[in-house]
């Protein structure tokens, strides 16, 4: 048996995920970070991106809007700014958010907060990636 560890994902909306998993890939600040059972203690800031969770040999995806991860004692705690499991993502909403952000970025208006629009775009793209990959 390959072994497992506990993954607990919490967002301001409450618990998003709390279960035993076999493998986890998260968007670290310097690229993807893979976590296997009995990983050594670690604290890391996470970027906006897609999380891949392997459970019973199957991969599930989650969109993450950034956060903080603590690994230790065969447990991973992820404090997310927001996180959604692939099957709870509203694709129409994410597409609309992506379009809105792209229009804002293209407008080059002084009224627009470009950093805010860029972050909104990254969140929308992460949601679309997490939601759509599971369909294939
Ligand atoms: P929007 O402009 O559509 O609100 P956003 O990126 O500004 O997108 P956030 O501020 O990151 O949204 O999230 C607000 C809340 O809405 C969070 O609880 C997040 O999980 C949820 N959420 C945002 N977009 C989606 C989506 N496409 N599907 C499901 N939940 C979503």
């Amino acid at each position: 048996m390959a072994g497992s560890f506990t993954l607990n994902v919490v967002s301001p909306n409450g618990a998003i995920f709390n279960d035993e998993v076999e493998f986890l890939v998260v968007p670290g600040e310097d690229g993807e970070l893979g976590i296997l059972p009995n990983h050594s203690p670690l604290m890391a800031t996470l970027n906006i991106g897609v999380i891949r969770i392997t459970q019973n040999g199957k991969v599930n995806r989650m969109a993450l809007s950034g956060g903080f991860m603590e690994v230790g004692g065969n447990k991973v705690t992820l404090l997310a700014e927001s996180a959604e499991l692939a099957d709870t993502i509203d694709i129409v909403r994410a597409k609309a958010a992506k379009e809105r952000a792209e229009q804002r970025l293209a407008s080059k208006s002084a009224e627009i907060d470009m950093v805010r629009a860029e972050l909104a775009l990254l969140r929308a793209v992460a949601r679309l990636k997490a939601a759509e990959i599971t369909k294939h």
Side-chain angles (χ1 to χ4, degrees), residues 13 65 82-84 88-91 93-94 97 100 120 123 127:
N13 281 347
S65 296
S82 76
E84 306 91 32
T88 69
I89 291 171
D90 180 339
I91 294 177
R93 177 175 169 181
R100 216 162 42 236
R123 289 195 299 274
R127 286 175 179 130

Side-chain angles (χ1 to χ4, degrees), residues 115-126:
V115 174
R116 187 173 159 189
E118 188 67 49
L119 292 173
L121 178 61
L122 291 174
R123 289 195 299 274
V125 168

